[in-house]
Amino acid sequence: CLFIRTSGCNLSCSWIGAAGNGGPCDTPYSSHFPENDRMAIDEILLTVKHNIGNMKHIVVSGGEPMLQGRRLYDLLVELKMTHNLHVTIETNGTIYIPEIAKVVNLVSISPKLSSSTPWAANLKNTSISFNENIAKAHEKHRINAAALQRWISWRNEDKLNRDFQFKFVVSNIEKDTKEIQYILSLVT
């Protein structure tokens, strides 16, 4: 399996850690502090070619890969056509792009719970300054029920072998379990 990590995210996740300190996204260089290094699609394809061997899986993660739009689609089409790889997309589920869905085998959806909102307590002892506007925007956009529903329904649109899974970051079992049940009730 080869991981391709995209930079940039439409959310700004942070949690309170076990010791009471804040904990930003596990890939802050892709979310809070997005990198601007760019690789051309040909460079990525060359990296895949040099590592192909027995590899049959590609995982595209982020940040939020859907922000890459057409460039991501072009890359995935090329990977499927050239190497016939199993492609997994890891997404927060806030953005659905039908063209990308058609070239993916598995979508791993990680809806963000309210515990991920970057309130001041979630940023304690991090290098990230609290910004109320960012926290409010995160809270407003962290769940997109229509996009989640599209990702779930997408697997039935044709006869291709595709699937999805949900994965949640749980920091408070009781509170987060209730919220997960609520999110799951929004989709069928």
Side-chain angles (χ1 to χ4, degrees):
C1 182
L2 183 88
F3 276 78
I4 298 171
R5 187 169 300 280
T6 64
S7 187
C9 190
N10 58 335
L11 299 179
S12 301
C13 298
S14 292
W15 291 266
I16 295 177
N21 290 317
C25 173
D26 64 348
T27 54
Y29 56 87
S30 291
S31 56
H32 290 278
F33 309 107
E35 295 179 343
N36 292 320
D37 296 342
R38 294 183 182 241
M39 285 183 77
I41 290 174
D42 289 342
E43 290 178 87
I44 297 170
L45 293 171
L46 188 59
T47 300
V48 171
K49 182 179 177 183
H50 288 312
N51 290 282
I52 199 75
N54 293 323
M55 179 184 72
K56 299 291 179 204
H57 297 270
I58 293 283
V59 176
V60 180
S61 190
E64 175 50 54
M66 295 303 115
L67 293 177
Q68 306 303 319
R70 183 66 193 199
R71 291 173 298 189
L72 178 60
Y73 172 77
D74 292 343
L75 172 64
L76 297 179
V77 166
E78 193 65 35
L79 288 171
K80 297 289 274 184
M81 287 177 32
T82 307
H83 300 292
N84 194 31
L85 294 166
H86 182 281
V87 175
T88 299
I89 293 284
E90 294 183 339
T91 177
N92 60 31
T94 59
I95 302 168
Y96 177 78
I97 300 174
E99 295 78 17
I100 291 175
K102 290 179 181 181
V103 294
V104 172
N105 300 95
L106 173 68
V107 61
S108 183
I109 310 165
S110 183
K112 302 308 176 203
L113 304 177
S114 59
S115 59
S116 72
T117 303
W119 299 117
N122 291 17
L123 299 171
K124 179 181 173 187
N125 294 327
T126 69
S127 61
I128 302 168
S129 299
F130 172 67
N131 180 312
E132 186 175 5
N133 292 331
I134 291 173
K136 286 180 178 179
H138 175 95
E139 186 60 26
K140 179 180 178 182
H141 298 290
R142 67 183 175 78
I143 300 296
N144 179 339
L148 291 173
Q149 184 62 58
R150 289 294 294 137
W151 279 118
I152 293 170
S153 301
W154 131 97
R155 67 187 178 130
N156 298 320
E157 290 180 6
D158 54 38
K159 295 181 187 205
L160 297 176
N161 182 23
R162 295 185 258 174
D163 210 349
F164 74 93
Q165 66 185 19
F166 279 113
K167 63 180 189 174
F168 295 92
V169 175
V170 175
S171 59
N172 178 310
I173 298 284
E174 187 175 314
K175 181 179 176 245
D176 291 348
T177 299
K178 289 177 184 175
E179 190 173 357
I180 290 168
Q181 290 170 339
Y182 169 72
I183 292 168
L184 294 177
S185 76
L186 298 175
V187 296
T188 56

